[in-house]
């Protein structure tokens, strides 16, 4: 290596040392202002009182302009030497010597590289993009003030040929998807409050009788709406489950073929006999009653029975019903029921059981869901989701959502992911294999989220809100545990539903899209709203 022969060794080591201190440039002094001008404005020239006040200050830094006293000269030629130039230079050298400085390295990073690269929405198709069919709910139009009933819930059949809707007028209606034809209507609210239900099995239950009297008084004033509904997910079980008031109603849809009709009749036969409950805890919380089935023309020529078959009564108002994936078990939710707020029922035996011995902590239970593959039950209260193992009868995990009021929940078909929607406009994604805290929090809606759901077949996810919009997300879940879920917002469906009961003062409040449901076999989406509309969105 080349070397200077006349240089000392110490100088060579200092020059070649890699960790030698870097030269750091001193900060530049501030540029002069108006007060430093030889001809400043009158406002910068001090009077006699200000000069006396400045002289009384011991520290020159407390003065407005330091040691400088602004003066006015007739010309630049008349300006003499500055008397404090040496002193100010010396003080600046002291400041630079005594004040440590640090070299700030600027990172030349392209802002575009910080933004994640997302594919185009057109590359992630199919997903619902446009409104195709609107289903008109019948109502009394004789009065000028009459309005269509609010559609509170919707559920599609496993084959995708039919769907059912539940409205605020207490009716359950079955529609045909392709034609938009209304096939069947059942007044569940009237059925729950009439003598068509056989109450012989609950004649000795004083609590049930007292609750029934209270409900009869309340039903004279208002009609209980159908708040929750689900079609049996088993393709061979043509059964519909609806919640109205304090009852859950089992309805035979009459849409099956010859073999499915026999299976459905055998499945519903124990519930039509008003079975007595063998579980003492469940017997106090629920009672099964058979329904006098009127003769109706079934939708299928092979159907053996059509219409409401059995009613399950509870002491308190019911808010949700949900089926297990296999179609034999289902759960009912009564938030004010305390320890009996969550009940699990078996169709093939006509029996119920109470899985919890005491009330859930953290407020009333809001949503209940079954795990698709394991004997797990997801129970969501106001702020958290608890996962229980029904076989071992213990709690497996507690998911902390960070939400103030959970309103909806859904489990991915793989069973490893959960989404939670809340009334404070958040949608939270949980990865059960990753952590008990949210993997991702999505804030796209402007108002409360009413429903969030996964598609059973396609990598799609949806959420609907009171702001009248529906957000569609592409959500790919990988079998490789080392890869995170891929979530991309692809479409916002607007102008389909109107906001009802909206405040005229500030535009706050109101109800928009109350529920949405994916088509089981196609990338389509059903939506229902407070304006009484049922809309089908398709991929066009």
């Amino acid at each position: 290596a080349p070397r200077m022969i006349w240089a000392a060794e110490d100088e060579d080591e200092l020059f070649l040392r890699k960790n030698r201190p870097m030269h750091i440039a001193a900060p530049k002094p501030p540029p002069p202002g108006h007060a430093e001008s030889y001809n400043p404005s009158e406002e910068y020239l001090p009077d006699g009182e200000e000069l006396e006040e400045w002289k009384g200050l011991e520290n020159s830094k407390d003065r407005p302009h330091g040691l400088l006293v602004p003066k006015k000269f007739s010309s630049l030629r008349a300006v003499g030497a500055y008397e404090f130039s040496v002193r100010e230079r010396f003080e600046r050298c002291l400041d630079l010597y005594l004040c440590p400085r640090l070299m700030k390295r600027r990172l030349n990073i392209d802002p575009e590289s910080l933004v994640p690269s997302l594919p185009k929405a057109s590359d992630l198709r199919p997903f619902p993009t446009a409104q195709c069919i609107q289903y008109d709910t019948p109502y009394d139009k004789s009065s000028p003030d009459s309005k269509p009933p609010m559609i509170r819930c919707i559920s599609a059949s496993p084959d995708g040929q039919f769907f059912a809707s539940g409205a605020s007028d207490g009716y359950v209606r079955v529609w045909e998807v392709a034609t938009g034809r209304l096939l069947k209507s059942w007044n569940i609210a009237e059925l729950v409050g009439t003598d068509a239900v056989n109450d012989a099995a609950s004649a000795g239950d004083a609590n049930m009788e007292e609750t029934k009297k209270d409900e009869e008084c309340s039903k004279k004033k208002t009609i209980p709406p159908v708040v929750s509904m689900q079609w049996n997910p088993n393709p061979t079980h043509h059964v519909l489950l609806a919640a109205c008031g304090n009852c859950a109603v089992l309805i035979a849809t009459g849409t099956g073929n010859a073999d499915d009709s026999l299976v459905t009749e055998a499945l519903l036969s124990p519930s039509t006999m008003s079975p007595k409950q063998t579980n003492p805890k469940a017997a106090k919380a629920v009672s099964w009653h058979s329904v006098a089935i009127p003769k109706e023309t079934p939708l299928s020529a092979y159907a053996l029975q059509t219409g409401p078959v059995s009613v399950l009564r509870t002491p308190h108002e019911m808010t949700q019903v949900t089926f297990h994936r296999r179609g034999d078990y289902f759960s009912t939710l009564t938030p004010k029921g305390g320890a009996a707020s969550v009940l699990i029922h078996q169709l093939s035996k006509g029996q119920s059981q109470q899985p919890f011995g005491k009330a859930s902590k953290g407020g009333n239970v809001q949503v209940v869901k079954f795990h698709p593959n394991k004997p797990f039950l997801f129970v969501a209260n106001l702020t958290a989701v608890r996962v229980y193992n029904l076989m071992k009868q213990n709690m497996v995990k507690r998911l902390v959502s960070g939400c103030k009021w959970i309103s909806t929940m859904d489990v991915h078909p793989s069973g490893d992911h959960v989404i939670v929607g809340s009334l404070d406009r958040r949608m939270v994604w949980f990865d059960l294999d990753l952590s008990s805290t949210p993997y991702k929090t999505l804030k796209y809606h402007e108002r409360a989220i009413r429903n969030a759901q996964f598609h059973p077949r396609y990598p799609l996810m949806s959420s609907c809100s009171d702001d009248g919009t529906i957000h569609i997300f592409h959500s790919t879940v990988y079998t490789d545990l080392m890869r995170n879920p891929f979530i991309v917002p692809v479409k916002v469906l607007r102008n389909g539903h109107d906001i009802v009961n909206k405040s005229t003062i500030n535009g706050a409040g109101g109800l928009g899209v109350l529920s949405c449901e994916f088509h089981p076999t196609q990338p389509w989406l059903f939506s229902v709203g407070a304006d009484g509309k049922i809309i089908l969105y398709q991929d066009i």
Side-chain angles (χ1 to χ4, degrees):
R3 185 172 179 177
M4 298 179 64
I5 60 176
W6 301 110
E9 295 182 0
D10 297 339
E11 294 180 4
D12 293 341
E13 291 180 359
L14 183 62
F15 180 76
L16 298 175
R17 189 171 57 185
K18 295 182 179 179
N19 296 328
R20 64 183 184 273
M22 295 179 60
H23 171 70
I24 302 177
K28 296 181 180 180
H34 294 281
E36 285 82 357
S37 174
Y38 75 94
N39 188 17
S41 303
E42 295 295 334
E43 59 189 48
Y44 293 99
L45 297 176
D47 53 11
E49 296 181 359
E50 291 179 345
L51 288 175
E52 293 296 331
E53 182 181 356
W54 291 0
K55 289 179 180 179
L57 298 175
E58 297 180 356
N59 192 356
S60 61
K61 294 184 179 179
D62 296 337
R63 299 181 181 182
H65 310 292
L67 296 173
L68 175 69
V69 178
K71 297 179 181 180
K72 191 168 186 178
F73 298 92
S74 58
S75 63
L76 186 60
R77 187 185 311 173
V79 179
Y82 181 46
E83 55 181 332
F84 300 110
S85 60
V86 177
R87 180 179 173 180
E88 288 186 356
R89 181 63 60 181
F90 177 72
E91 290 180 354
R92 173 170 168 78
C93 291
L94 287 180
D95 293 340
L96 297 178
Y97 170 71
L98 297 176
C99 181
R101 301 194 300 275
L102 180 64
M103 188 69 178
K104 292 184 179 180
R105 297 184 178 180
R106 294 184 178 180
L107 300 178
N108 296 325
I109 299 177
D110 185 11
E112 297 295 334
S113 63
L114 301 178
V115 180
S117 58
L118 298 178
K120 296 181 180 180
S122 57
D123 299 336
L124 300 176
R125 301 185 76 166
F127 54 84
T129 57
Q131 174 181 342
C132 290
I133 304 176
Q134 180 174 331
Y135 306 87
D136 295 329
T137 303
Y139 65 98
D140 185 12
K141 301 180 181 179
S142 58
S143 174
D145 297 334
S146 60
K147 298 180 181 179
M150 292 186 182
I151 312 299
R152 302 288 297 270
C153 50
I154 187 172
S155 182
S157 61
D159 57 359
Q161 185 178 357
F162 309 99
F163 75 90
S165 63
S168 59
D169 58 358
Y171 273 85
V172 172
R173 298 176 175 89
V174 177
W175 308 74
E176 190 173 15
V177 175
T179 62
R181 186 163 57 102
L182 178 61
L183 302 178
K184 287 289 182 181
S185 297
W186 296 289
N187 192 348
I188 301 301
E190 183 180 358
L191 171 67
V192 170
T194 58
D195 295 333
V197 180
N198 183 9
D199 290 332
S202 62
D205 196 339
N207 294 332
M208 284 297 191
E209 290 294 333
E210 184 178 355
T211 305
K212 182 181 176 183
K213 291 179 182 179
D214 296 339
E215 288 177 358
E216 288 178 353
C217 295
S218 62
K219 285 173 185 175
K220 293 178 181 179
K221 301 178 182 179
T222 58
I223 299 176
V226 181
V227 295
S228 180
M229 175 192 306
Q230 187 177 6
W231 208 295
N232 197 311
N234 194 326
T236 61
H237 299 167
H238 295 264
V239 181
L240 192 63
L241 181 63
C244 180
N246 68 328
C247 297
V249 183
L250 291 168
I251 303 173
T253 59
T255 55
N257 53 26
D259 296 336
D260 294 347
S261 299
L262 294 175
V263 174
T264 303
E265 185 184 17
L267 180 70
L268 294 176
S269 58
S271 61
T272 58
M273 301 176 184
S274 299
K276 293 184 179 181
Q277 301 303 308
T278 58
N279 190 330
K281 289 185 179 180
K284 297 179 182 180
V286 66
S287 60
W288 294 58
H289 310 287
S290 61
V291 176
I293 305 176
K295 292 184 179 180
E296 297 183 19
T297 303
L299 300 178
S300 174
Y302 303 100
L304 303 177
Q305 54 185 354
T306 303
V309 174
S310 179
V311 174
L312 284 73
R313 284 189 181 273
T314 57
H316 303 279
E317 185 178 358
M318 195 174 298
T319 59
Q320 187 204 5
V321 290
T322 180
F323 269 109
H324 188 267
R325 184 179 61 88
R326 297 184 179 179
D328 189 16
Y329 290 91
F330 65 93
S331 69
T332 57
L333 174 61
T334 53
K336 298 181 180 180
S341 59
V342 179
L343 297 174
I344 298 178
H345 317 273
Q346 188 175 5
L347 269 178
S348 58
K349 295 183 179 179
Q351 295 294 320
S352 303
Q353 53 183 323
Q354 180 180 327
F356 305 112
K358 58 182 180 179
S360 175
K361 297 181 180 179
N364 295 334
V365 179
Q366 302 296 316
V367 193
V368 176
K369 286 289 183 180
F370 286 102
H371 193 282
N373 305 318
K374 300 178 182 179
F376 290 170
L377 184 68
F378 296 85
V379 180
N381 54 22
L382 293 177
T383 58
V385 180
R386 289 178 170 86
V387 185
Y388 294 95
N389 190 327
L390 298 177
M391 295 291 291
K392 298 181 179 180
Q393 298 183 359
N394 61 352
M395 188 176 72
V396 179
K397 187 176 292 188
R398 182 176 179 270
L399 307 177
V400 181
S401 66
C403 304
K404 296 181 180 179
W405 193 302
I406 294 177
S407 59
T408 182
M409 177 177 59
D410 195 24
V411 184
H412 193 268
S414 65
D416 297 332
H417 304 270
V418 177
I419 53 172
V420 173
S422 67
L423 298 182
D424 53 348
R425 305 176 297 172
R426 296 184 182 183
M427 186 168 64
V428 180
W429 180 298
F430 288 98
D431 190 342
L432 300 182
D433 296 330
L434 184 63
S435 173
S436 59
T437 55
Y439 161 70
K440 192 177 288 293
T441 300
L442 306 174
K443 299 180 183 179
Y444 289 97
H445 288 284
E446 298 178 358
R447 295 183 182 173
I449 295 179
R450 293 296 175 179
N451 193 15
Q453 190 186 31
F454 286 109
H455 196 288
R457 292 190 179 184
Y458 289 88
L460 295 175
M461 179 178 66
S462 67
S463 64
C464 62
S465 170
D466 282 338
D467 57 6
T469 63
I470 304 171
H471 289 254
I472 308 297
F473 299 87
H474 176 88
S475 56
T476 301
V477 174
Y478 302 98
T479 55
D480 186 7
L481 298 179
M482 300 301 294
R483 301 183 65 180
N484 294 327
F486 184 61
I487 307 172
V488 181
V490 292
K491 184 66 177 179
V492 180
L493 302 175
R494 306 178 187 271
N495 304 324
H497 294 274
D498 300 326
I499 300 177
V500 180
N501 299 332
K502 187 176 180 180
S503 175
T504 57
I505 300 176
N506 54 4
L511 298 174
V513 186
L514 299 181
S515 182
C516 58
E517 175 91 4
F518 276 113
H519 192 278
T521 59
Q522 299 292 335
W524 302 345
L525 183 73
F526 298 96
S527 68
V528 296
D531 55 356
K533 296 179 183 178
I534 305 175
I535 299 176
L536 173 62
Y537 296 93
Q538 294 183 358
D539 178 28
I540 298 178

